[in-house]
């Protein structure tokens, strides 16, 4: 597979990244500790490493702004899945609307807790659009034009949480395994990226990736994961303390990734 042209346009990304670099300096030490916690090879069948950020009360660290990449499906670069009936859903494994098909792979549940950075309080009603590549490193609507799977929108519940049922994404050439998300103030505004409060990315920890990629169907991910690292990734290289999910579970019953997402509300 040819390398996806993710995040290679410095002129495009620099204005947005300049603001986050000063913030990420505060987390440099925490990022190094998080990497140390997940750098060793995984053993057994259960993954438990990663990092959780934010608190139930008090302030919470803000998740940084990142590029949406070339395959957002939000109308900014081609198709807009946000305006299609059926996109608001928790289970994003299958295509919806006039399209059909189901993405294959190790089951993954992604749970995000949306909190106010100033107070740590949950943000009920805040809305997340989440998308990621499939087991082969391909994105629906672009690499796979006749599918819109692995894309969905969820409004946070009373506790500020959203949950997506999906499959574990691949490691494709040039990128660390990740998922993309846009956070909106509410469901009504989640129709165009101009309304997004933040666009960012979630990183998956190394030990969980190694467990999953040892299973059938992820053979190319084994090679690609070995060729990169969080510290060399084009998005996460400047810090990932607030973006590295905690992953638990096993490849048979499925994995669960959790992350607290601090929003400047």
């Amino acid at each position: 597979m040819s390398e996806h042209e993710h995040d290679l346009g410095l002129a495009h990304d620099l204005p947005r990244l300049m603001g986050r670099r000063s913030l990420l300096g505060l987390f440099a030490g925490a990022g190094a500790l998080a990497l140390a916690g997940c750098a060793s090879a995984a053993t057994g069948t259960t993954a438990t490493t990663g990092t959780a950020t934010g608190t139930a009360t008090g302030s919470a660290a803000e998740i940084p702004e990142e590029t949406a990449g070339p395959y957002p499906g939000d109308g900014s670069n081609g198709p807009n899945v946000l305006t299609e009936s059926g996109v608001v859903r928790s289970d994003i494994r299958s295509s919806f609307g006039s399209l059909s098909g189901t993405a294959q792979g190790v089951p993954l549940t992604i749970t995000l807790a949306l909190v106010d950075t100033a107070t740590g309080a949950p943000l009920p009603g805040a809305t997340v659009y989440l998308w990621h590549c499939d087991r082969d490193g391909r994105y629906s609507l672009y690499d796979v034009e006749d599918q819109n799977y692995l894309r969905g929108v969820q409004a946070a519940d009373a506790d500020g949480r959203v949950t997506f049922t999906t499959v574990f994404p691949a490691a494709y050439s040039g990128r660390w395994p990740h998922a993309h998300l846009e956070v909106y103030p509410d469901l009504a505004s989640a129709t165009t990226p101009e309304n997004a409060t933040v666009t960012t990315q979630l990183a998956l920890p190394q030990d969980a990736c190694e467990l999953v990629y040892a299973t059938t169907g992820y053979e190319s991910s084994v090679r690609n994961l070995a060729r990169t690292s969080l510290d060399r990734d084009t998005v996460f290289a400047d810090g990932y303390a607030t973006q590295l999910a905690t992953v638990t579970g096993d490849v048979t019953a499925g994995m669960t990734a959790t992350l607290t997402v601090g929003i400047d509300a």
Side-chain angles (χ1 to χ4, degrees):
M1 176 183 298
S2 61
E3 180 175 340
H4 286 290
E5 296 177 357
H6 264 69
D7 323 319
L8 301 181
L10 181 61
H12 170 75
D13 291 337
L14 188 57
R16 298 200 300 179
L17 291 176
M18 285 300 291
R20 80 172 274 217
R21 302 223 179 241
S22 57
L23 172 67
L24 285 169
L26 298 174
F27 301 115
L33 290 174
L35 178 62
C38 67
S40 61
T43 59
T45 59
T46 302
T48 58
T49 63
T51 183
T53 58
T55 58
T57 59
S59 62
E62 183 177 2
I63 199 164
E65 183 80 13
E66 303 286 11
T67 178
Y71 309 117
D74 60 7
S76 62
N77 180 25
N80 187 359
V81 75
L82 296 176
T83 59
E84 296 185 15
S85 176
V87 71
V88 180
R89 60 205 186 123
S90 179
D91 191 335
I92 63 174
R93 292 173 293 182
S94 296
S95 291
F96 63 94
S98 62
L99 302 179
S100 62
T102 299
Q104 302 300 308
V106 170
L108 175 67
T109 299
I110 298 177
T111 298
L112 307 173
L114 309 180
V115 299
D116 188 325
T117 56
T119 65
L123 295 172
T127 298
V128 174
Y129 166 43
L130 182 139
W131 73 98
H132 61 78
C133 71
D134 63 15
R135 183 173 63 180
D136 298 314
R138 304 174 302 173
Y139 284 85
S140 68
L141 299 177
Y142 298 89
D143 302 313
V144 189
E145 296 181 6
D146 61 347
Q147 301 291 341
N148 55 19
Y149 53 50
L150 307 183
R151 298 177 183 274
V153 173
Q154 278 281 291
D157 63 16
D159 296 320
R161 296 185 182 277
V162 297
T163 297
F164 294 92
T165 301
T166 185
V167 298
F168 208 97
Y172 54 79
S173 180
R175 282 302 317 274
W176 187 260
H178 62 281
H180 300 260
L181 55 141
E182 293 172 347
V183 182
Y184 293 83
D186 50 45
L187 188 59
S189 64
T191 57
T192 174
E194 284 75 18
N195 295 335
T197 303
V198 64
T199 299
T200 191
Q201 297 184 29
L202 171 156
L204 293 164
Q206 182 174 344
D207 67 337
C209 294
E210 290 174 344
L211 285 175
V212 172
Y213 297 162
T215 64
T216 302
Y218 286 96
E219 289 80 7
S220 64
S221 290
V222 175
R223 299 188 297 271
N224 291 329
L225 187 71
R227 294 169 180 166
T228 188
S229 71
L230 278 163
D231 284 334
R232 296 197 305 270
D233 183 77
T234 54
V235 168
F236 303 123
D238 56 358
Y240 47 83
T242 61
Q243 296 168 278
L244 184 62
T246 296
V247 176
T248 59
D250 60 69
V251 297
T252 301
M255 316 291 278
T256 298
T258 59
L259 183 72
T260 298
V261 180
I263 304 296
D264 183 6

